[in-house]
Structures are given as C-alpha cells and as structure tokens.
Amino acid sequence: MRIEVRDASFSYPDHKVIFDGLSFSLEKGEILCILGANGAGKSTLLNSIGGLFQLSKGDILFDGQSIRSLGQLEIAKRVGYVPQSHLPTFPYSVFEFVLMGRTPYIGTFSSPSDHDRAIAEEAIETIGIAHLKHKPYTEISGGEMQLAMFARVVAQQPELLLLDEPTSHLDFGNQIRTLELIGNLSQKGFSVIITSHFPDHSFLLSNKIGILKDGRIIDIGSVDEMITEENMKKIYGIDVRVAYFEQAGRKICVPLRQN
Ligand SMILES: Nc1ncnc2c1ncn2[C@@H]1O[C@H](COP(=O)(O)OP(=O)(O)OP(=O)(O)O)[C@@H](O)[C@H]1O
C-alpha cells in the first residue's frame, strides 16, 4: 500500500503543536524509519497515521484514499500497530491474544474459523514463541509481550505495519531476529513505518530514514545519506562515529565518549 502524509499537523487538546505541515510518502514494500529525540512526536505521528488520532490539518492517504473516508474496520484490516508498550488486562493465553489479530475479519457474532486459528499458529511459529502459546498473557515478560504483539500483528496480515520502537524490550538476539523479520515482511510487500532509538539498526534494515525535529521532518533520505555524524549530533546532541566495519560488511554507528 502507498502511504502519503500531506501537510499534516497535530495538536493535543492543550494546544501544544506536536508537528506542523509534515509531508512525505512511502511506496508499497518500503520501510521508513523515523528517528527523533524523546518527545519529538514519533508516537503521535504513528497514532495519526493509524487513524487513532485526528489531524488538526492536512490528510493521510492510503493508495490515494483519505483515511477520513475509511471506516474503523477498513483501517483495522489495513493497518497493524505495535505500540511501545501496553498494560495487559485479561489473562488471555498468548495464543488467544495472537488470535485477536484476526478480529477485523471475524463477524460480530462469529467465532474464529480454523483458517484464523491456522494463521495465528503460523504467526506464533514465525515469531518463535511457540513455547509461550498456553501461558497467560499477564504472566509473561515485557520482551515476550512485545514478541506476542508482533505475532498478533503478523496474524492480522495488514498492508501497513506501524511499529513503535518494536525492539525496545528485546534481548540482543531477538532485536536482530525482529529486524530481519521486518525486512522479510517488507520484501513480501508490507509497507512499514518504524520508530527507533537505535540509528545503527537502520544499517541492518537498509531503509528510508526521516528525521523528526521541532515538529517537522527536517530531512528524509537513504540510510547512507541520513545516518551521518552531523545528523546524529543534530538529533541527539552527542558525538558518534559512522564508519564501514569490514568484518561486519556494513556501516556502523557508535557513540563516542562525550568527555
Ligand atoms: N496525551 C497527551 N497530551 C498532551 N501532550 C502529550 C500527550 N501525549 C504526548 N504528549 C506530548 O507530545 C510530545 C510528543 O510525544 P510523543 O510520545 O509523540 O514523542 P516520541 O517522539 O514518541 O517520544 P519518545 O521517544 O520519548 O517515545 C511530547 O512533548 C509529549 O509530552
């Protein structure tokens, strides 16, 4: 699905403007990684693209159609959202939680079909959490919850994935496996918008980068163009080195000692 954000602005009810006049687009199968300091407005932007927050100005278009004209069910089928974190309320099993990803496809008075169950099983296998399947969702760790949310969104089979720091609770291995999975999903045609606090991860995803600062996308471009020592200083206020690391066969971005 092609996504276009057109002259978008957003303010919370306290009238604080979070972003103003944002415009960018994303083609089907592309990954856009939004970088920005704490409080820059990354989550607010994802919530707006997912139709959870209403823009104060401008528009968001899915394949040329304004999300204002799409119903909640249509958006729920097309957009999969993995928030930064959430509080579990009911002790569903992990399997039941993942199966909920099928909700937009199940009629109000119907139950999940064998097909829905098979898709949930497959998503659980893909994410590698089969060992958690029967555990209550309220009794798993933060990282396991993040993986379960990822499985749920994979079961949902949306066209656009909105991932708010999807690796923030994950161990070193699961971070890399999740990034690879995101890369595979984009190759299958999923469009992905991801926020991250790890510029180095961008070199593993080789995606498009947008920098959100002072309520604007100050620049958008390829990883090589955007992950530079100057830009990292501009966003995070620290000195970093960006260099080609031969043994890894890729560029890396590492912070320097600041004093
Ligand atoms: N419900 C709200 N009402 C008013 N202001 C809010 C609300 N939620 C967030 N904000 C403010 O909006 C700004 C952007 O918040 P947002 O969560 O989008 O930032 P972020 O870039 O995702 O931050 P982080 O990297 O810390 O997760 C912040 O200054 C925050 O304090």
Side-chain angles (χ1 to χ4, degrees):
M1 171 163 92
R2 181 176 199 276
I3 296 96
E4 187 183 348
V5 174
R6 198 183 278 173
D7 197 25
S9 304
F10 181 88
S11 313
Y12 280 107
D14 62 6
H15 304 299
K16 184 179 168 196
V17 177
I18 306 300
F19 50 82
D20 192 23
L22 280 194
S23 293
F24 59 87
S25 62
L26 186 71
E27 300 303 323
K28 178 177 157 69
E30 267 191 329
I31 303 174
L32 170 66
C33 179
I34 312 263
L35 298 180
N38 288 132
K42 302 178 294 298
S43 302
T44 307
L45 177 60
L46 288 196
N47 277 303
S48 308
I49 296 171
L52 297 171
F53 292 175
Q54 266 215 340
L55 295 177
S56 42
K57 190 163 73 71
D59 207 353
I60 290 160
L61 300 105
F62 292 165
D63 285 334
Q65 196 180 359
S66 166
I67 59 167
R68 294 179 201 274
S69 66
L70 296 172
Q72 281 304 321
L73 185 64
E74 181 69 15
I75 295 177
K77 279 185 187 162
R78 300 180 78 174
V79 182
Y81 186 24
V82 178
Q84 248 179 61
S85 57
H86 76 141
L87 286 176
T89 41
F90 295 104
Y92 302 110
S93 71
V94 167
F95 177 75
E96 286 165 329
F97 179 76
V98 173
L99 189 59
M100 280 175 215
R102 301 300 300 158
T103 306
Y105 302 93
I106 302 168
T108 318
F109 301 108
S110 313
S111 311
S113 65
D114 288 347
H115 177 63
D116 293 314
R117 291 178 167 275
I119 289 174
E121 292 277 1
E122 198 182 318
I124 283 175
E125 287 295 331
T126 305
I127 304 298
I129 52 168
H131 58 291
L132 299 174
K133 217 167 98 175
H134 303 297
K135 280 202 101 175
Y137 189 67
T138 41
E139 291 173 26
I140 58 176
S141 76
E144 290 169 339
M145 227 175 257
Q146 205 159 23
L147 292 171
M149 278 198 277
F150 212 85
R152 185 173 73 164
V153 97
V154 167
Q156 186 189 336
Q157 299 181 328
E159 295 168 66
L160 168 66
L161 290 173
L162 298 175
L163 310 174
D164 202 353
E165 293 173 45
T167 59
S168 59
H169 297 286
L170 301 184
D171 70 41
F172 210 34
N174 278 331
Q175 284 181 22
I176 305 309
R177 281 187 283 273
T178 299
L179 292 175
E180 283 180 351
L181 180 75
I182 294 169
N184 291 341
L185 291 172
S186 86
Q187 275 166 14
K188 285 185 187 161
F190 287 77
S191 308
V192 183
I193 305 181
I194 175 174
T195 70
S196 175
H197 284 307
F198 301 101
D200 187 59
H201 283 176
S202 303
F203 289 119
L204 290 161
L205 277 175
S206 61
N207 42 21
K208 204 164 158 181
I209 308 287
I211 295 178
L212 189 58
K213 191 173 192 294
D214 304 326
R216 302 183 299 122
I217 294 273
I218 56 168
D219 221 343
I220 192 159
S222 70
V223 187
D224 282 335
E225 288 164 340
M226 303 305 296
I227 307 293
T228 62
E229 293 168 5
E230 298 73 35
N231 277 344
M232 297 306 103
K233 181 83 180 177
K234 222 188 278 178
I235 306 176
Y236 304 110
I238 57 162
D239 292 315
V240 308
R241 273 293 162 271
V242 175
Y244 186 76
F245 183 45
E246 197 147 356
Q247 285 92 325
R250 68 168 179 92
K251 276 193 184 172
I252 53 168
C253 173
V254 288
L256 300 179
R257 276 184 196 279
Q258 304 300 308
N259 47 39

